[in-house]
Amino acid sequence: MILAVTMNPSVDISYHLHEFKLDDVNRVENARKTAGGKGLNVARVLAQMNEEVLATGVLGGTIGEYIVQELKKSNIPNDFLKIDKESRNCIAILHEGRQTEILESGPTLTKEEGEDFLGKFNDLLSNVSFVTISGSLPKGLAADFYQQMLTMSKKKGVPVLLDTSGEPLRKALLHTEKPLAIKPNTEELSQLLGMEVDGRISSLKHALDHKLFKGIKWIVVSMGKYGAFVRHGADDYRITIPKIDVVNPVGSGDATVAGLAVALNRNQPVENVLKTAMTTGMLNTMEAGTGSINMTKFDQYFDLVIVERID
Ligand code: ADP
């Protein structure tokens, strides 16, 4: 079973607008609301892939209740730490082929609430074979919070795929107990390293040579429609994907994380791992729902992904 962690879940609202008018009224006909936060997108895709999944994290208030109801509707088992504060809304506005996001920061947790969650996490670790940790930390928790989760996971022999950014990612990479895998995009890499990383192979190789990445077995740099660049141990791969008609790209990175987690948890060979991750990312862009894939198209798109080893 895969444990999908979302420390700061949300109700994700997406608005499709023909034109986004600033300083004016924008009326929306189709508002989509989903239980969100990156880890919940991961959990939903895991469930759609028929993987046994348990969603966890911290939530509260009426928004928290809505999230739990939505998970129940989708038959996603969940066990969250409930707090006495309101979880957040996150809004994505899709307009003119662009995406404008308005993200609430969410509740501030106390040290005790952080510790309560770590206790719960430690218990849940006993029954799972793989962990995904996605997204930002709630306010109030120290940037080394994910480090503590990595230490606990290591003690129980459970591998972790960590998909976060900024300081929590830097701290986790510097930690002695490394995540098995990370999935930054080029923007997150640039931010982490304080230098411009673009999609050129030379730029990506140079970035991943940084000492921060030492000891991370799988580094999957996702690049939207350009596929991904991957470092697995000493081997580098370029992954090319077909051109597809994108309906909603929100959550593609999370769907990629879910694909990676499933394939790694099932001990698949390298090429399959990478093809699975790209396929779930692509399938997510083809659906209107955020963090949602149609598995009936899986084989068709899996076969179109090209994995090349590069020197
Ligand atoms: P993130 O959401 O983390 O920035 P990406 O945008 O890189 O992640 O998307 C993750 C994966 O989803 C890509 O590697 C690719 O497989 C797929 N994907 C995303 N956008 C597109 C697109 N426009 N066309 C085809 N595939 C896409």
Side-chain angles (χ1 to χ4, degrees):
M1 178 158 65
I2 298 179
L3 183 65
V5 180
T6 322
M7 290 307 292
N8 201 5
S10 57
V11 169
D12 283 353
I13 304 172
S14 68
Y15 294 142
H16 287 253
L17 291 176
H18 180 61
E19 187 195 354
F20 182 38
K21 290 174 276 185
L22 265 181
D23 205 18
D24 204 344
V25 174
N26 292 272
R27 293 188 192 281
V28 186
E29 277 173 25
N30 304 315
R32 281 188 159 265
K33 296 184 186 171
T34 47
K38 291 163 71 65
L40 292 192
N41 295 337
V42 174
R44 208 164 19 246
V45 175
L46 289 172
Q48 286 165 340
M49 295 179 82
N50 274 328
E51 186 74 27
E52 236 194 306
V53 54
L54 180 64
T56 189
V58 180
L59 48 70
T62 48
I63 296 177
E65 275 167 32
Y66 181 86
I67 292 170
V68 171
Q69 274 172 29
E70 287 295 296
L71 289 173
K72 275 198 189 132
K73 267 195 229 160
S74 314
N75 290 320
I76 297 173
N78 60 84
D79 188 352
F80 282 83
L81 177 76
K82 310 275 183 342
I83 57 167
D84 201 11
K85 293 162 195 160
E86 196 66 43
S87 290
R88 61 190 182 137
N89 281 321
C90 289
I91 301 172
I93 305 167
L94 300 155
H95 56 101
E96 299 126 347
R98 303 166 100 175
Q99 188 176 319
T100 302
E101 297 190 16
I102 298 167
L103 311 178
E104 291 179 21
S105 56
T108 302
L109 268 56
T110 60
K111 202 164 169 273
E112 291 68 38
E113 286 165 336
E115 272 158 19
D116 286 350
F117 175 76
L118 288 176
K120 175 182 274 297
F121 178 70
N122 200 39
D123 292 344
L124 295 176
L125 275 174
S126 305
N127 298 315
V128 301
S129 51
F130 200 95
V131 172
T132 64
I133 301 176
S134 305
S136 57
L137 281 169
K139 279 182 294 175
L141 298 185
D144 69 355
F145 196 80
Y146 288 150
Q147 277 188 12
Q148 300 182 56
M149 292 170 69
L150 284 166
T151 303
M152 290 176 159
S153 305
K154 184 72 176 192
K155 273 201 187 126
K156 299 223 171 163
V158 182
V160 176
L161 194 171
L162 177 66
D163 183 21
T164 187
S165 55
E167 211 39 36
L169 176 58
R170 181 195 311 281
K171 284 251 177 346
L173 293 176
L174 287 170
H175 193 44
T176 38
E177 317 297 1
K178 310 279 181 200
L180 173 73
I182 56 171
K183 192 225 66 68
N185 56 32
T186 48
E187 229 178 282
E188 288 161 343
L189 270 188
S190 304
Q191 187 202 7
L192 181 72
L193 300 175
M195 66 185 208
E196 181 63 25
V197 183
D198 59 36
R200 284 172 305 140
I201 297 292
S202 56
S203 171
L204 291 157
K205 275 179 179 278
H206 177 61
L208 298 193
D209 285 341
H210 195 284
K211 60 178 188 309
L212 266 180
F213 300 110
K214 235 177 149 201
I216 311 293
K217 203 164 170 194
W218 293 88
I219 307 168
V220 176
V221 183
S222 69
M223 297 189 293
K225 66 180 174 187
Y226 301 110
F229 177 81
V230 176
R231 180 161 291 174
H232 172 238
D235 299 331
D236 287 344
Y237 297 87
R238 176 176 30 213
I239 316 183
T240 317
I241 56 176
K243 191 169 165 23
I244 52 178
D245 290 329
V246 173
V247 179
N248 174 15
V250 185
S252 303
D254 306 328
T256 299
V257 164
L260 258 180
V262 167
L264 290 173
N265 189 41
R266 293 180 188 168
N267 292 314
Q268 295 281 308
V270 175
E271 190 173 338
N272 277 31
V273 169
L274 302 180
K275 286 175 95 168
T276 303
M278 287 298 98
T279 306
T280 48
M282 281 190 285
L283 294 182
N284 179 77
T285 70
M286 297 159 79
E287 301 299 313
T290 301
S292 178
I293 63 172
N294 177 350
M295 276 301 280
T296 61
K297 296 179 183 165
F298 185 90
D299 291 345
Q300 181 193 345
Y301 284 90
F302 182 92
D303 289 341
L304 296 172
V305 180
I306 299 166
V307 175
E308 282 171 278
R309 224 187 107 189
I310 49 178
D311 292 322

